[in-house]
Amino acid sequence: LGGLTMALGEVELNNPVSPRYDYGNVSLDFDGTDDYIDIASDTIGFTNANIFTFSAWVKTDLDHTSTVRRTVWGCNNTASGFQFELGANSGTRRLQVIINGAVVADSGNEAIQTGVWTHVVYTRSGTGASTHAFYANGVDAGLTNNNANNFADTASVHYIGRRAAASQPMDGNIKSVMFFDRVLTANE
């Protein structure tokens, strides 16, 4: 996969739960070293960069002994661009959102399991603190950090499987990466 560039196409919003962008239902195996998908410099096209849902299916090779965070969606180290990670903070398996190198939202411990497909969802319902939520397989994964940093829909390069600084590569599988330009309900 190293260096693979993927062209984007907008999905029509005829159905209220249609994603703004859907990056495919194909499972890709990332080796934890140099595999990633380079999404061309473009904005996602949100009306409000602080109201959205991010969704993906992941199966990580991350274990309890690892302290390395693994990136699912990367656009960090850019002005207000966010990054979605599978965190290994002191040997725990958390869901994390990072902006400009700082943790903005952090789920509870053991939100994901090694070698098991998990549907992960992150929602942002506005600006400021107390606007983040994580779900793993439809269950609220809790929050240990819920900070006020605001996002911007940047025209920077986005990545699936690594962060912008070419670090924290994904080790495992990712499929069905989707963005919605609103917060989905539990039923959706």
Side-chain angles (χ1 to χ4, degrees):
L1 287 180
L4 174 67
T5 301
M6 185 172 139
L8 299 180
E10 189 170 333
V11 176
E12 290 184 31
L13 296 174
N14 296 328
N15 180 327
V17 292
S18 293
R20 180 70 179 163
Y21 285 104
D22 181 348
Y23 295 102
N25 192 23
V26 175
S27 169
L28 298 176
D29 185 13
F30 296 83
D31 66 8
T33 305
D34 59 0
D35 292 347
Y36 64 93
I37 296 173
D38 180 345
I39 308 294
S41 297
D42 195 5
T43 64
I44 301 300
F46 294 149
T47 305
N48 182 332
N50 290 290
I51 299 175
F52 67 93
T53 299
F54 170 84
S55 170
W57 281 89
V58 297
K59 182 172 75 169
T60 181
D61 296 333
L62 188 69
D63 63 30
H64 283 288
T65 61
S66 176
T67 58
V68 176
R69 298 186 322 251
R70 300 299 182 175
T71 304
V72 176
W73 176 263
C75 185
N76 200 19
N77 297 332
T78 61
S80 303
F82 84 96
Q83 173 172 311
F84 184 89
E85 297 180 342
L86 307 177
N89 189 358
S90 302
T92 62
R93 292 173 290 199
R94 301 172 176 228
L95 306 175
Q96 297 178 313
V97 168
I98 312 292
I99 187 170
N100 295 332
V103 175
V104 176
D106 196 357
S107 76
N109 293 339
E110 306 306 321
I112 57 171
Q113 299 301 313
T114 301
V116 176
W117 279 107
T118 305
H119 183 230
V120 294
V121 175
Y122 167 69
T123 64
R124 182 75 192 263
S125 61
T127 59
S130 302
T131 59
H132 309 275
F134 288 111
Y135 301 90
N137 292 328
V139 177
D140 188 332
L143 286 168
T144 58
N145 278 329
N146 194 359
N147 297 319
N149 299 54
N150 293 320
F151 301 159
D153 188 6
T154 67
S156 300
V157 175
H158 300 79
Y159 299 95
I160 296 174
R162 78 164 201 189
R163 66 183 283 176
S167 61
Q168 299 166 334
M170 178 63 177
D171 190 4
N173 295 69
I174 301 172
K175 70 176 184 175
S176 300
V177 174
M178 291 187 270
F179 283 90
F180 301 83
D181 60 357
R182 63 188 178 84
V183 175
L184 297 181
T185 66
N187 288 336
E188 293 173 321

